[in-house]
Amino acid sequence: MTVSSDLDRRFRAAASTLELVDVSYDVLETEIGPLLAAVTDHGLAFLSFDAHADERLESLATFAGSRVLRTTRGVELVRRELDEYFGGRRTIFDLSLDLRGLPQFTVSVLGELAKVPYGRTATYRDLAERVGNPKASRAVGTVMNRNRIPIILPCHRIVGTSGSLVGYAGGLELKEKLLRLEGAIL
Amino acid sequence: MTAVATSVPIFEVFYDEHKHEVLGYLRKRAGADRADDLFQETFLRALRAYDRLQHADHLRAWVLTIASRVLIDAFRRDGTPTSELPELESPEPDSPLESISDLTASLPPKERAAVTLRYGFDLDYAQIAAVLCSTEDAARQATSSGVRRLRKERSSR
């Protein structure tokens, strides 16, 4: 017996409408390829360049709850804001974020990262100074590298002291593309 | 007590693993026309109780028990006589549930479901209430009156 895609869709929509889901996720088709987005009742918790990052959903369940379900509705707002961003019609995201489960240092670095404006860049050392720990550039680099909500938390805007792009989870080419989109580089 | 309890998978994995069998079970007993609504009701009830599951043992039998409760409730609404109500799904052979299933065969459906969920699945009353679509108090009452009835039967044998 096979569950039709229509029945499947109706169940997922009902679960979402009745607010019985702890983590809603879906794969979003975007300008830069498929992105996996996961949303809890606290906000966007996870955005991945790897559309098959299912095992990462298990780790969200440890703090958000085991009712993890793929639904279109739950990630609708993320889909819309990303569309606008890639279309050049959005420079600030209005999404609330779920940073539960992250260490305090990571949260404060990400807090400073969020303040780096659209179309601008900052260095790893800038961020380290802004969290009051000028020698922590390397640790800041690690936080950028593990950033679980890229694009929205704009780690692509963080570059080396010499202005070199250094690295990016989605690949240097993508980092360059995002900075170009924002007009930060020509 | 089981030696090692397996951890509860995310709901997506659980749903994906059991959805086809649950639909088949419901179609066989309620017909293709009604099965879709009952399918939805079954997994919504499972979802309501899911975050309180302590372990992943017997998840298949658990969801089939929910499906059988959903069927019974639907037949009740239509006024189908109790004698024609479907049997609770008997769980996989050799599981500790099998004996509970035999033991409770004489109970009225609601008490049987409550006793099975409490002692076969280790669910608490809040979880049982979600399965039975009733209150926690009603779930506790159904369980204890089921147990009382079983004791009585045993002593009169």
Side-chain angles (χ1 to χ4, degrees), chain B residues 60-120:
Chain B
R60 175 179 171 271
W62 179 63
V63 73
L64 290 172
T65 308
I66 297 175
S68 72
R69 285 300 313 173
V70 167
L71 267 174
I72 289 169
D73 290 349
F75 284 128
R76 283 252 171 73
R77 283 197 294 274
D78 306 343
T80 306
T82 317
S83 57
E84 288 171 35
L85 292 181
E87 276 284 293
L88 272 176
E89 181 68 14
S90 66
E92 56 259 63
D94 300 330
S95 78
L97 276 178
E98 199 185 22
S99 51
I100 287 195
S101 177
D102 291 344
L103 201 70
T104 57
S106 62
L107 293 179
K110 190 169 191 166
E111 292 178 10
R112 187 180 183 194
V115 171
T116 307
L117 293 170
R118 179 70 193 91
Y119 297 104

